[in-house]
Amino acid sequence: MSSTELPSVPPTDVLPEAASVRIAEGERLRSVGLPGVTLKIRSRPHAREGLEPALYVHGLGGSSQNWSALMALLDGVVDSEAVDLPGFGDSPPPDDGDYSVTAHARAVIRYLDASARGPVHLFGNSLGGAVSTRVAAVRPDLVRTLTLVSPALPELRVQRTAVPTGLIGLPGVATLFNRFTRAWTAEQRVRGVTALCYGDPGRVSPEAFRHAVEEMERRLRLPYFWDAMTRSARGLVSAYTLGGQHGLWRQAERVLAPTLLVYGGRDQLVGFRMAQRAARAFRDSRLLTLPDAGHVAMMEYPETVAMAFRELLAESGPRARPGTGRDREALFERTGGSADTGS
């Protein structure tokens, strides 16, 4: 095999049994078979009947577990489900090996169509933010509101700290990186990921760190781990180069759903400067900026993100009228972040 080729991955039905994925108290994990993909869906019991549905989409290298803290805080507010994208978390690889942003969006759409849960309050982080933007643009009937935490939308000047992640998608780089880091322990890998994704790694509790190490050990045993990472990174880079109506920024402009944008001032993967551009691109946007947060604000500051979403929900209700820029600024200042609007 040449260095430009990706390792072959066994068909889904012959993959070895992986260790059990962690399920937090109050959660359950179920498998949903769809054309071309099998998705694992993490959910919480209904706090009460009649709640509007919500779906959460994780980022590159993440899983539905990334949303557990926020889902718990929104008990009684929405009926929460989080998806493991194909090849991530506990979901097996897609049958066709397609990890493009479009393919991930297609998987989300297929699930929403099959479950008849739409329109949903759709959440996305990083890669999941790009996927969710595409879903909201092409299927507005499926999205009630859109909440994006550090969405991976194209940047002309990429931060230096984000370059290594993008390089994983280049031919041969993942293989070289895997060889270079072969001696790294799961704990060392988690410390590296935490330092990259958190504004303050000290906010990770010892228990959460231990769970992250256990999950890393589980993933490293999966035969398709690096393939999923490589192809998804490549798919994201490819999405950045698309122009015309398929470009992510153009699709952001087409989103009709009320949108909450959350950006961290210490984000090393998505430039904080992109917050203002995003607020202008999404036609009905609210911008929450958290100066001390990194790339995963919903994990670092779940209470603040939950409060901001509650305000979005109240403002975008059936009888709610759009607030003025001044109203929205006052609204989000109460959450502990700073705010701007897309107006």
Side-chain angles (χ1 to χ4, degrees):
M1 183 178 70
S2 72
S3 62
T4 60
E5 294 176 333
L6 289 168
S8 65
V9 178
T12 302
D13 57 355
V14 298
L15 288 173
E17 189 73 22
S20 298
V21 71
R22 179 176 177 272
I23 304 174
E25 183 178 354
E27 294 181 344
R28 68 187 184 100
L29 197 65
R30 73 182 192 281
S31 180
V32 177
L34 299 167
V37 293
T38 297
L39 300 178
K40 288 300 180 75
I41 304 295
R42 184 178 300 268
S43 62
R44 298 185 63 83
H46 304 325
R48 58 183 174 83
E49 295 298 322
L51 292 177
E52 294 183 341
L55 185 68
Y56 306 76
V57 187
H58 63 80
L60 181 67
S63 75
S64 58
Q65 295 184 63
N66 293 20
W67 298 101
S68 289
L70 184 61
M71 288 169 64
L73 290 171
L74 292 179
D75 274 353
V77 179
V78 289
D79 177 9
S80 292
E81 291 187 343
V83 60
D84 282 333
L85 291 173
F88 293 94
D90 208 33
S91 292
D95 291 351
D96 60 4
D98 188 351
Y99 289 95
S100 65
V101 171
T102 297
H104 285 315
R106 187 184 306 122
V108 171
I109 290 171
R110 283 177 178 170
Y111 171 67
L112 290 175
D113 278 338
S115 64
R117 280 173 54 84
V120 299
H121 298 283
L122 187 60
F123 293 72
N125 168 236
S126 191
L127 167 65
V131 170
S132 298
T133 296
R134 183 148 292 174
V135 172
V138 302
R139 289 293 304 274
D141 59 305
L142 294 178
V143 182
R144 175 78 174 78
T145 66
L146 183 64
T147 297
L148 303 177
V149 181
S150 296
L153 300 175
E155 300 183 44
L156 291 178
R157 293 184 295 110
V158 179
Q159 298 183 105
R160 291 181 180 178
T161 47
V163 170
T165 302
L167 289 177
I168 290 177
L170 295 179
V173 172
T175 300
L176 292 174
F177 181 77
N178 193 21
R179 290 174 182 170
F180 177 75
T181 63
R182 185 167 295 166
W184 291 9
T185 65
E187 181 174 338
Q188 288 174 313
R189 294 175 189 271
V190 170
R191 290 195 186 281
V193 170
T194 302
L196 182 64
C197 292
Y198 278 72
D200 177 10
R203 294 184 66 87
V204 181
S205 69
E207 181 183 24
F209 184 82
R210 178 170 54 82
H211 290 320
V213 171
E214 293 171 355
E215 174 62 12
M216 179 63 73
E217 291 173 340
R218 187 191 73 84
R219 293 187 192 183
L220 290 172
R221 289 193 291 269
L222 297 173
Y224 54 84
F225 172 78
W226 282 110
D227 187 67
M229 285 286 292
T230 301
R231 292 181 187 267
S232 290
R234 183 178 298 175
L236 186 57
V237 172
S238 295
Y240 276 26
T241 65
L242 290 177
Q245 63 178 347
H246 300 294
L248 285 170
W249 284 114
R250 181 68 63 85
Q251 293 194 321
E253 294 170 354
R254 292 167 52 193
V255 171
L256 301 177
T259 302
L260 170 63
L261 301 164
V262 183
Y263 281 81
R266 296 182 179 178
D267 195 331
Q268 299 181 66
L269 294 171
V270 170
F272 186 64
R273 62 182 178 277
M274 302 306 295
Q276 293 296 334
R277 179 176 180 181
R280 292 190 297 268
F282 290 89
R283 65 180 68 189
D284 186 6
S285 68
R286 299 105 178 118
L287 174 59
L288 171 65
T289 58
L290 300 172
D292 295 326
H295 192 60
V296 287
M298 75 286 188
M299 299 174 74
E300 277 194 277
Y301 297 93
E303 296 86 357
T304 305
V305 175
M307 189 180 299
F309 173 73
R310 289 192 187 97
E311 297 285 7
L312 171 70
L313 192 63
E315 185 180 292
S316 60
R319 298 182 181 179
R321 298 176 61 186
T324 64
R326 185 182 300 274
D327 292 336
R328 293 174 187 165
E329 183 170 353
L331 186 88
F332 286 107
E333 282 180 344
R334 290 199 298 273
T335 71
S338 58
D340 201 348
T341 71
S343 56

PDB file of all heavy atoms in Angstrom, residues 114-151:
ATOM      1  N   ALA A 114     -36.620   9.489   9.028  1.00  0.00           N
ATOM      2  CA  ALA A 114     -37.074   8.170   9.468  1.00  0.00           C
ATOM      3  C   ALA A 114     -37.775   8.234  10.819  1.00  0.00           C
ATOM      4  O   ALA A 114     -38.746   7.504  11.069  1.00  0.00           O
ATOM      5  CB  ALA A 114     -35.900   7.203   9.533  1.00  0.00           C
ATOM      6  N   SER A 115     -37.286   9.100  11.709  1.00  0.00           N
ATOM      7  CA  SER A 115     -37.849   9.187  13.052  1.00  0.00           C
ATOM      8  C   SER A 115     -39.057  10.116  13.124  1.00  0.00           C
ATOM      9  O   SER A 115     -39.780  10.112  14.118  1.00  0.00           O
ATOM     10  CB  SER A 115     -36.781   9.682  14.042  1.00  0.00           C
ATOM     11  OG  SER A 115     -36.381  11.006  13.715  1.00  0.00           O
ATOM     12  N   ALA A 116     -39.249  10.934  12.068  1.00  0.00           N
ATOM     13  CA  ALA A 116     -40.357  11.894  12.023  1.00  0.00           C
ATOM     14  C   ALA A 116     -40.331  12.829  13.231  1.00  0.00           C
ATOM     15  O   ALA A 116     -41.370  13.222  13.751  1.00  0.00           O
ATOM     16  CB  ALA A 116     -41.695  11.152  11.937  1.00  0.00           C
ATOM     17  N   ARG A 117     -39.109  13.173  13.675  1.00  0.00           N
ATOM     18  CA  ARG A 117     -38.969  14.062  14.838  1.00  0.00           C
ATOM     19  C   ARG A 117     -38.931  15.537  14.454  1.00  0.00           C
ATOM     20  O   ARG A 117     -39.042  16.401  15.306  1.00  0.00           O
ATOM     21  CB  ARG A 117     -37.680  13.728  15.605  1.00  0.00           C
ATOM     22  CG  ARG A 117     -37.822  12.526  16.517  1.00  0.00           C
ATOM     23  CD  ARG A 117     -36.486  12.141  17.116  1.00  0.00           C
ATOM     24  NE  ARG A 117     -35.801  13.221  17.811  1.00  0.00           N
ATOM     25  CZ  ARG A 117     -36.024  13.579  19.070  1.00  0.00           C
ATOM     26  NH1 ARG A 117     -36.943  12.945  19.776  1.00  0.00           N
ATOM     27  NH2 ARG A 117     -35.347  14.554  19.626  1.00  0.00           N
ATOM     28  N   GLY A 118     -38.735  15.821  13.180  1.00  0.00           N
ATOM     29  CA  GLY A 118     -38.578  17.209  12.779  1.00  0.00           C
ATOM     30  C   GLY A 118     -39.896  17.972  12.784  1.00  0.00           C
ATOM     31  O   GLY A 118     -40.974  17.359  12.725  1.00  0.00           O
ATOM     32  N   PRO A 119     -39.832  19.312  12.883  1.00  0.00           N
ATOM     33  CA  PRO A 119     -38.591  20.083  12.981  1.00  0.00           C
ATOM     34  C   PRO A 119     -37.996  20.016  14.390  1.00  0.00           C
ATOM     35  O   PRO A 119     -38.724  19.987  15.368  1.00  0.00           O
ATOM     36  CB  PRO A 119     -39.035  21.505  12.630  1.00  0.00           C
ATOM     37  CG  PRO A 119     -40.480  21.554  13.055  1.00  0.00           C
ATOM     38  CD  PRO A 119     -41.029  20.176  12.785  1.00  0.00           C
ATOM     39  N   VAL A 120     -36.664  19.989  14.446  1.00  0.00           N
ATOM     40  CA  VAL A 120     -35.961  19.881  15.719  1.00  0.00           C
ATOM     41  C   VAL A 120     -35.178  21.150  16.017  1.00  0.00           C
ATOM     42  O   VAL A 120     -34.911  21.956  15.129  1.00  0.00           O
ATOM     43  CB  VAL A 120     -34.984  18.685  15.725  1.00  0.00           C
ATOM     44  CG1 VAL A 120     -35.712  17.377  15.509  1.00  0.00           C
ATOM     45  CG2 VAL A 120     -33.889  18.879  14.678  1.00  0.00           C
ATOM     46  N   HIS A 121     -34.830  21.284  17.267  1.00  0.00           N
ATOM     47  CA  HIS A 121     -33.845  22.285  17.663  1.00  0.00           C
ATOM     48  C   HIS A 121     -32.491  21.613  17.427  1.00  0.00           C
ATOM     49  O   HIS A 121     -32.115  20.679  18.138  1.00  0.00           O
ATOM     50  CB  HIS A 121     -34.033  22.687  19.123  1.00  0.00           C
ATOM     51  CG  HIS A 121     -35.367  23.324  19.380  1.00  0.00           C
ATOM     52  ND1 HIS A 121     -35.644  24.628  19.029  1.00  0.00           N
ATOM     53  CD2 HIS A 121     -36.513  22.814  19.908  1.00  0.00           C
ATOM     54  CE1 HIS A 121     -36.899  24.918  19.360  1.00  0.00           C
ATOM     55  NE2 HIS A 121     -37.444  23.831  19.888  1.00  0.00           N
ATOM     56  N   LEU A 122     -31.775  22.064  16.407  1.00  0.00           N
ATOM     57  CA  LEU A 122     -30.559  21.393  15.964  1.00  0.00           C
ATOM     58  C   LEU A 122     -29.328  22.087  16.540  1.00  0.00           C
ATOM     59  O   LEU A 122     -29.176  23.309  16.406  1.00  0.00           O
ATOM     60  CB  LEU A 122     -30.496  21.399  14.430  1.00  0.00           C
ATOM     61  CG  LEU A 122     -29.373  20.604  13.773  1.00  0.00           C
ATOM     62  CD1 LEU A 122     -29.457  19.125  14.136  1.00  0.00           C
ATOM     63  CD2 LEU A 122     -29.433  20.778  12.250  1.00  0.00           C
ATOM     64  N   PHE A 123     -28.458  21.307  17.182  1.00  0.00           N
ATOM     65  CA  PHE A 123     -27.221  21.814  17.768  1.00  0.00           C
ATOM     66  C   PHE A 123     -26.047  21.196  17.006  1.00  0.00           C
ATOM     67  O   PHE A 123     -26.065  20.015  16.671  1.00  0.00           O
ATOM     68  CB  PHE A 123     -27.094  21.399  19.231  1.00  0.00           C
ATOM     69  CG  PHE A 123     -28.096  22.022  20.167  1.00  0.00           C
ATOM     70  CD1 PHE A 123     -29.429  21.640  20.145  1.00  0.00           C
ATOM     71  CD2 PHE A 123     -27.700  22.979  21.099  1.00  0.00           C
ATOM     72  CE1 PHE A 123     -30.350  22.199  21.024  1.00  0.00           C
ATOM     73  CE2 PHE A 123     -28.611  23.544  21.981  1.00  0.00           C
ATOM     74  CZ  PHE A 123     -29.942  23.154  21.947  1.00  0.00           C
ATOM     75  N   GLY A 124     -24.983  21.975  16.788  1.00  0.00           N
ATOM     76  CA  GLY A 124     -23.791  21.438  16.152  1.00  0.00           C
ATOM     77  C   GLY A 124     -22.544  22.103  16.678  1.00  0.00           C
ATOM     78  O   GLY A 124     -22.531  23.311  16.931  1.00  0.00           O
ATOM     79  N   ASN A 125     -21.484  21.315  16.854  1.00  0.00           N
ATOM     80  CA  ASN A 125     -20.193  21.832  17.305  1.00  0.00           C
ATOM     81  C   ASN A 125     -19.126  21.482  16.280  1.00  0.00           C
ATOM     82  O   ASN A 125     -19.048  20.335  15.825  1.00  0.00           O
ATOM     83  CB  ASN A 125     -19.832  21.232  18.668  1.00  0.00           C
ATOM     84  CG  ASN A 125     -18.390  21.490  19.085  1.00  0.00           C
ATOM     85  OD1 ASN A 125     -17.629  20.567  19.373  1.00  0.00           O
ATOM     86  ND2 ASN A 125     -17.977  22.742  19.113  1.00  0.00           N
ATOM     87  N   SER A 126     -18.304  22.466  15.894  1.00  0.00           N
ATOM     88  CA  SER A 126     -17.166  22.243  15.017  1.00  0.00           C
ATOM     89  C   SER A 126     -17.606  21.605  13.697  1.00  0.00           C
ATOM     90  O   SER A 126     -18.431  22.165  12.976  1.00  0.00           O
ATOM     91  CB  SER A 126     -16.119  21.399  15.748  1.00  0.00           C
ATOM     92  OG  SER A 126     -14.905  21.370  15.050  1.00  0.00           O
ATOM     93  N   LEU A 127     -17.096  20.422  13.361  1.00  0.00           N
ATOM     94  CA  LEU A 127     -17.555  19.712  12.171  1.00  0.00           C
ATOM     95  C   LEU A 127     -19.072  19.565  12.198  1.00  0.00           C
ATOM     96  O   LEU A 127     -19.753  19.744  11.182  1.00  0.00           O
ATOM     97  CB  LEU A 127     -16.900  18.336  12.092  1.00  0.00           C
ATOM     98  CG  LEU A 127     -17.488  17.341  11.089  1.00  0.00           C
ATOM     99  CD1 LEU A 127     -17.313  17.828   9.663  1.00  0.00           C
ATOM    100  CD2 LEU A 127     -16.871  15.954  11.273  1.00  0.00           C
ATOM    101  N   GLY A 128     -19.618  19.253  13.368  1.00  0.00           N
ATOM    102  CA  GLY A 128     -21.067  19.139  13.509  1.00  0.00           C
ATOM    103  C   GLY A 128     -21.776  20.447  13.230  1.00  0.00           C
ATOM    104  O   GLY A 128     -22.941  20.450  12.819  1.00  0.00           O
ATOM    105  N   GLY A 129     -21.078  21.573  13.434  1.00  0.00           N
ATOM    106  CA  GLY A 129     -21.655  22.869  13.092  1.00  0.00           C
ATOM    107  C   GLY A 129     -21.768  23.047  11.592  1.00  0.00           C
ATOM    108  O   GLY A 129     -22.760  23.597  11.082  1.00  0.00           O
ATOM    109  N   ALA A 130     -20.737  22.599  10.852  1.00  0.00           N
ATOM    110  CA  ALA A 130     -20.792  22.650   9.390  1.00  0.00           C
ATOM    111  C   ALA A 130     -21.901  21.732   8.873  1.00  0.00           C
ATOM    112  O   ALA A 130     -22.665  22.094   7.974  1.00  0.00           O
ATOM    113  CB  ALA A 130     -19.446  22.255   8.800  1.00  0.00           C
ATOM    114  N   VAL A 131     -21.974  20.528   9.452  1.00  0.00           N
ATOM    115  CA  VAL A 131     -23.009  19.563   9.057  1.00  0.00           C
ATOM    116  C   VAL A 131     -24.397  20.138   9.322  1.00  0.00           C
ATOM    117  O   VAL A 131     -25.292  20.084   8.465  1.00  0.00           O
ATOM    118  CB  VAL A 131     -22.814  18.239   9.819  1.00  0.00           C
ATOM    119  CG1 VAL A 131     -24.006  17.306   9.617  1.00  0.00           C
ATOM    120  CG2 VAL A 131     -21.517  17.560   9.379  1.00  0.00           C
ATOM    121  N   SER A 132     -24.589  20.723  10.497  1.00  0.00           N
ATOM    122  CA  SER A 132     -25.891  21.268  10.870  1.00  0.00           C
ATOM    123  C   SER A 132     -26.271  22.463  10.006  1.00  0.00           C
ATOM    124  O   SER A 132     -27.452  22.654   9.683  1.00  0.00           O
ATOM    125  CB  SER A 132     -25.889  21.659  12.355  1.00  0.00           C
ATOM    126  OG  SER A 132     -25.668  20.524  13.173  1.00  0.00           O
ATOM    127  N   THR A 133     -25.284  23.274   9.637  1.00  0.00           N
ATOM    128  CA  THR A 133     -25.555  24.388   8.734  1.00  0.00           C
ATOM    129  C   THR A 133     -26.086  23.882   7.401  1.00  0.00           C
ATOM    130  O   THR A 133     -27.059  24.415   6.845  1.00  0.00           O
ATOM    131  CB  THR A 133     -24.277  25.213   8.505  1.00  0.00           C
ATOM    132  OG1 THR A 133     -23.867  25.797   9.752  1.00  0.00           O
ATOM    133  CG2 THR A 133     -24.507  26.326   7.490  1.00  0.00           C
ATOM    134  N   ARG A 134     -25.462  22.831   6.879  1.00  0.00           N
ATOM    135  CA  ARG A 134     -25.907  22.262   5.607  1.00  0.00           C
ATOM    136  C   ARG A 134     -27.311  21.676   5.734  1.00  0.00           C
ATOM    137  O   ARG A 134     -28.150  21.855   4.849  1.00  0.00           O
ATOM    138  CB  ARG A 134     -24.916  21.207   5.135  1.00  0.00           C
ATOM    139  CG  ARG A 134     -25.233  20.600   3.781  1.00  0.00           C
ATOM    140  CD  ARG A 134     -23.976  20.213   3.038  1.00  0.00           C
ATOM    141  NE  ARG A 134     -23.196  21.373   2.629  1.00  0.00           N
ATOM    142  CZ  ARG A 134     -21.997  21.309   2.057  1.00  0.00           C
ATOM    143  NH1 ARG A 134     -21.441  20.139   1.820  1.00  0.00           N
ATOM    144  NH2 ARG A 134     -21.358  22.410   1.722  1.00  0.00           N
ATOM    145  N   VAL A 135     -27.579  20.981   6.824  1.00  0.00           N
ATOM    146  CA  VAL A 135     -28.918  20.419   7.032  1.00  0.00           C
ATOM    147  C   VAL A 135     -29.964  21.530   7.060  1.00  0.00           C
ATOM    148  O   VAL A 135     -31.014  21.438   6.410  1.00  0.00           O
ATOM    149  CB  VAL A 135     -28.969  19.598   8.341  1.00  0.00           C
ATOM    150  CG1 VAL A 135     -30.407  19.179   8.666  1.00  0.00           C
ATOM    151  CG2 VAL A 135     -28.077  18.366   8.238  1.00  0.00           C
ATOM    152  N   ALA A 136     -29.684  22.585   7.830  1.00  0.00           N
ATOM    153  CA  ALA A 136     -30.653  23.678   7.962  1.00  0.00           C
ATOM    154  C   ALA A 136     -30.878  24.399   6.643  1.00  0.00           C
ATOM    155  O   ALA A 136     -31.988  24.902   6.378  1.00  0.00           O
ATOM    156  CB  ALA A 136     -30.171  24.664   9.022  1.00  0.00           C
ATOM    157  N   ALA A 137     -29.847  24.456   5.801  1.00  0.00           N
ATOM    158  CA  ALA A 137     -29.968  25.159   4.526  1.00  0.00           C
ATOM    159  C   ALA A 137     -30.767  24.365   3.509  1.00  0.00           C
ATOM    160  O   ALA A 137     -31.610  24.919   2.791  1.00  0.00           O
ATOM    161  CB  ALA A 137     -28.579  25.472   3.967  1.00  0.00           C
ATOM    162  N   VAL A 138     -30.505  23.061   3.428  1.00  0.00           N
ATOM    163  CA  VAL A 138     -31.149  22.257   2.379  1.00  0.00           C
ATOM    164  C   VAL A 138     -32.489  21.672   2.818  1.00  0.00           C
ATOM    165  O   VAL A 138     -33.310  21.316   1.973  1.00  0.00           O
ATOM    166  CB  VAL A 138     -30.213  21.129   1.884  1.00  0.00           C
ATOM    167  CG1 VAL A 138     -28.915  21.720   1.360  1.00  0.00           C
ATOM    168  CG2 VAL A 138     -29.929  20.106   2.978  1.00  0.00           C
ATOM    169  N   ARG A 139     -32.716  21.550   4.127  1.00  0.00           N
ATOM    170  CA  ARG A 139     -33.982  21.007   4.630  1.00  0.00           C
ATOM    171  C   ARG A 139     -34.522  21.900   5.748  1.00  0.00           C
ATOM    172  O   ARG A 139     -34.545  21.497   6.920  1.00  0.00           O
ATOM    173  CB  ARG A 139     -33.802  19.571   5.114  1.00  0.00           C
ATOM    174  CG  ARG A 139     -33.569  18.553   4.018  1.00  0.00           C
ATOM    175  CD  ARG A 139     -34.809  18.382   3.128  1.00  0.00           C
ATOM    176  NE  ARG A 139     -35.987  18.012   3.902  1.00  0.00           N
ATOM    177  CZ  ARG A 139     -36.307  16.760   4.233  1.00  0.00           C
ATOM    178  NH1 ARG A 139     -35.525  15.751   3.839  1.00  0.00           N
ATOM    179  NH2 ARG A 139     -37.403  16.506   4.914  1.00  0.00           N
ATOM    180  N   PRO A 140     -34.936  23.111   5.415  1.00  0.00           N
ATOM    181  CA  PRO A 140     -35.443  24.017   6.458  1.00  0.00           C
ATOM    182  C   PRO A 140     -36.655  23.473   7.192  1.00  0.00           C
ATOM    183  O   PRO A 140     -36.923  23.879   8.329  1.00  0.00           O
ATOM    184  CB  PRO A 140     -35.790  25.289   5.666  1.00  0.00           C
ATOM    185  CG  PRO A 140     -35.951  24.841   4.246  1.00  0.00           C
ATOM    186  CD  PRO A 140     -34.982  23.715   4.074  1.00  0.00           C
ATOM    187  N   ASP A 141     -37.370  22.534   6.573  1.00  0.00           N
ATOM    188  CA  ASP A 141     -38.540  21.943   7.221  1.00  0.00           C
ATOM    189  C   ASP A 141     -38.170  21.082   8.423  1.00  0.00           C
ATOM    190  O   ASP A 141     -39.027  20.782   9.259  1.00  0.00           O
ATOM    191  CB  ASP A 141     -39.319  21.091   6.219  1.00  0.00           C
ATOM    192  CG  ASP A 141     -38.476  19.968   5.617  1.00  0.00           C
ATOM    193  OD1 ASP A 141     -37.389  20.289   5.065  1.00  0.00           O
ATOM    194  OD2 ASP A 141     -38.886  18.798   5.704  1.00  0.00           O
ATOM    195  N   LEU A 142     -36.888  20.706   8.522  1.00  0.00           N
ATOM    196  CA  LEU A 142     -36.449  19.829   9.608  1.00  0.00           C
ATOM    197  C   LEU A 142     -35.867  20.580  10.799  1.00  0.00           C
ATOM    198  O   LEU A 142     -35.565  19.961  11.825  1.00  0.00           O
ATOM    199  CB  LEU A 142     -35.390  18.843   9.088  1.00  0.00           C
ATOM    200  CG  LEU A 142     -35.849  17.815   8.061  1.00  0.00           C
ATOM    201  CD1 LEU A 142     -34.671  16.951   7.626  1.00  0.00           C
ATOM    202  CD2 LEU A 142     -36.979  16.943   8.615  1.00  0.00           C
ATOM    203  N   VAL A 143     -35.692  21.894  10.677  1.00  0.00           N
ATOM    204  CA  VAL A 143     -34.964  22.645  11.710  1.00  0.00           C
ATOM    205  C   VAL A 143     -35.821  23.770  12.279  1.00  0.00           C
ATOM    206  O   VAL A 143     -36.213  24.688  11.561  1.00  0.00           O
ATOM    207  CB  VAL A 143     -33.648  23.217  11.148  1.00  0.00           C
ATOM    208  CG1 VAL A 143     -32.881  23.956  12.242  1.00  0.00           C
ATOM    209  CG2 VAL A 143     -32.797  22.096  10.560  1.00  0.00           C
ATOM    210  N   ARG A 144     -36.080  23.683  13.570  1.00  0.00           N
ATOM    211  CA  ARG A 144     -36.862  24.704  14.282  1.00  0.00           C
ATOM    212  C   ARG A 144     -35.979  25.875  14.688  1.00  0.00           C
ATOM    213  O   ARG A 144     -36.297  27.023  14.452  1.00  0.00           O
ATOM    214  CB  ARG A 144     -37.499  24.040  15.515  1.00  0.00           C
ATOM    215  CG  ARG A 144     -38.257  24.975  16.429  1.00  0.00           C
ATOM    216  CD  ARG A 144     -39.625  25.312  15.869  1.00  0.00           C
ATOM    217  NE  ARG A 144     -40.367  26.089  16.846  1.00  0.00           N
ATOM    218  CZ  ARG A 144     -40.181  27.382  17.078  1.00  0.00           C
ATOM    219  NH1 ARG A 144     -39.275  28.049  16.397  1.00  0.00           N
ATOM    220  NH2 ARG A 144     -40.902  28.000  17.990  1.00  0.00           N
ATOM    221  N   THR A 145     -34.878  25.582  15.351  1.00  0.00           N
ATOM    222  CA  THR A 145     -33.842  26.571  15.651  1.00  0.00           C
ATOM    223  C   THR A 145     -32.497  25.903  15.416  1.00  0.00           C
ATOM    224  O   THR A 145     -32.393  24.678  15.378  1.00  0.00           O
ATOM    225  CB  THR A 145     -33.895  27.084  17.107  1.00  0.00           C
ATOM    226  OG1 THR A 145     -33.581  26.012  18.008  1.00  0.00           O
ATOM    227  CG2 THR A 145     -35.261  27.674  17.443  1.00  0.00           C
ATOM    228  N   LEU A 146     -31.463  26.725  15.302  1.00  0.00           N
ATOM    229  CA  LEU A 146     -30.109  26.228  15.054  1.00  0.00           C
ATOM    230  C   LEU A 146     -29.166  26.846  16.082  1.00  0.00           C
ATOM    231  O   LEU A 146     -29.122  28.066  16.234  1.00  0.00           O
ATOM    232  CB  LEU A 146     -29.671  26.607  13.639  1.00  0.00           C
ATOM    233  CG  LEU A 146     -28.304  26.119  13.160  1.00  0.00           C
ATOM    234  CD1 LEU A 146     -28.268  24.601  13.093  1.00  0.00           C
ATOM    235  CD2 LEU A 146     -27.991  26.713  11.785  1.00  0.00           C
ATOM    236  N   THR A 147     -28.428  25.993  16.795  1.00  0.00           N
ATOM    237  CA  THR A 147     -27.424  26.465  17.760  1.00  0.00           C
ATOM    238  C   THR A 147     -26.074  25.906  17.351  1.00  0.00           C
ATOM    239  O   THR A 147     -25.889  24.690  17.293  1.00  0.00           O
ATOM    240  CB  THR A 147     -27.763  26.012  19.192  1.00  0.00           C
ATOM    241  OG1 THR A 147     -29.016  26.589  19.593  1.00  0.00           O
ATOM    242  CG2 THR A 147     -26.688  26.453  20.170  1.00  0.00           C
ATOM    243  N   LEU A 148     -25.133  26.798  17.051  1.00  0.00           N
ATOM    244  CA  LEU A 148     -23.819  26.389  16.552  1.00  0.00           C
ATOM    245  C   LEU A 148     -22.740  26.829  17.529  1.00  0.00           C
ATOM    246  O   LEU A 148     -22.605  28.017  17.836  1.00  0.00           O
ATOM    247  CB  LEU A 148     -23.554  27.016  15.181  1.00  0.00           C
ATOM    248  CG  LEU A 148     -24.591  26.696  14.091  1.00  0.00           C
ATOM    249  CD1 LEU A 148     -24.237  27.432  12.802  1.00  0.00           C
ATOM    250  CD2 LEU A 148     -24.674  25.189  13.842  1.00  0.00           C
ATOM    251  N   VAL A 149     -21.971  25.871  18.019  1.00  0.00           N
ATOM    252  CA  VAL A 149     -20.861  26.144  18.942  1.00  0.00           C
ATOM    253  C   VAL A 149     -19.559  25.989  18.161  1.00  0.00           C
ATOM    254  O   VAL A 149     -19.218  24.891  17.721  1.00  0.00           O
ATOM    255  CB  VAL A 149     -20.879  25.180  20.141  1.00  0.00           C
ATOM    256  CG1 VAL A 149     -19.733  25.507  21.093  1.00  0.00           C
ATOM    257  CG2 VAL A 149     -22.227  25.242  20.862  1.00  0.00           C
ATOM    258  N   SER A 150     -18.855  27.086  17.954  1.00  0.00           N
ATOM    259  CA  SER A 150     -17.609  27.079  17.184  1.00  0.00           C
ATOM    260  C   SER A 150     -17.763  26.294  15.876  1.00  0.00           C
ATOM    261  O   SER A 150     -17.040  25.310  15.638  1.00  0.00           O
ATOM    262  CB  SER A 150     -16.456  26.495  18.018  1.00  0.00           C
ATOM    263  OG  SER A 150     -16.177  27.292  19.133  1.00  0.00           O
ATOM    264  N   PRO A 151     -18.698  26.682  15.021  1.00  0.00           N
ATOM    265  CA  PRO A 151     -18.907  25.931  13.776  1.00  0.00           C
ATOM    266  C   PRO A 151     -17.692  26.012  12.858  1.00  0.00           C
ATOM    267  O   PRO A 151     -17.065  27.063  12.732  1.00  0.00           O
ATOM    268  CB  PRO A 151     -20.119  26.623  13.146  1.00  0.00           C
ATOM    269  CG  PRO A 151     -20.072  28.023  13.685  1.00  0.00           C
ATOM    270  CD  PRO A 151     -19.561  27.876  15.095  1.00  0.00           C
TER     271      PRO A 151
END
